[in-house]
Amino acid sequence: LRIQMVTIQREGIAYSFEEHIVGIVGTARPVFGPNGNVIGAISVACAASRYDAALHTLISAELEKAVTDLSSALRLLPAHQAASAAPRP
């Protein structure tokens, strides 16, 4: 698990290959707030039977675009406004 966490931190993307639900592959990237801290994530889940190299590349690239756009928009907010919009545990 520690090796996976180091890889996730280095690459900025996490994968779940049927680890939580059999037949489902998940991909996630972090979303950053105004202060640069991770405030959430965007993820995509798909059927493992449809997951191939082309879909892997497409999902990874589209998630990168989505989190980059959202993180950029959130950086424009004052830190207190972004914090008040974040869900509370």
Side-chain angles (χ1 to χ4, degrees), residues 39 80-89:
I39 62 167
H80 70 279
Q81 186 176 354
S84 66
R88 303 279 183 221

Side-chain angles (χ1 to χ4, degrees), residues 8 13 16 24 34 40 50 52 78:
I8 291 166
I13 192 165
S16 172
I24 299 295
R50 295 183 177 156
D52 58 14

Side-chain angles (χ1 to χ4, degrees), residues 14-68:
Y15 301 98
S16 172
F17 296 100
E18 300 186 80
E19 294 168 28
H20 298 287
I21 300 173
V22 175
I24 299 295
V25 174
T27 308
R29 286 187 178 270
V31 175
F32 298 93
N35 59 3
N37 289 339
V38 174
I39 62 167
I42 297 177
S43 65
V44 172
C46 70
S49 61
R50 295 183 177 156
Y51 194 81
D52 58 14
L55 190 55
H56 169 90
T57 300
L58 178 63
I59 290 171
S60 298
E62 292 301 321
L63 273 177
E64 183 173 8
K65 288 180 201 172
V67 299
T68 298

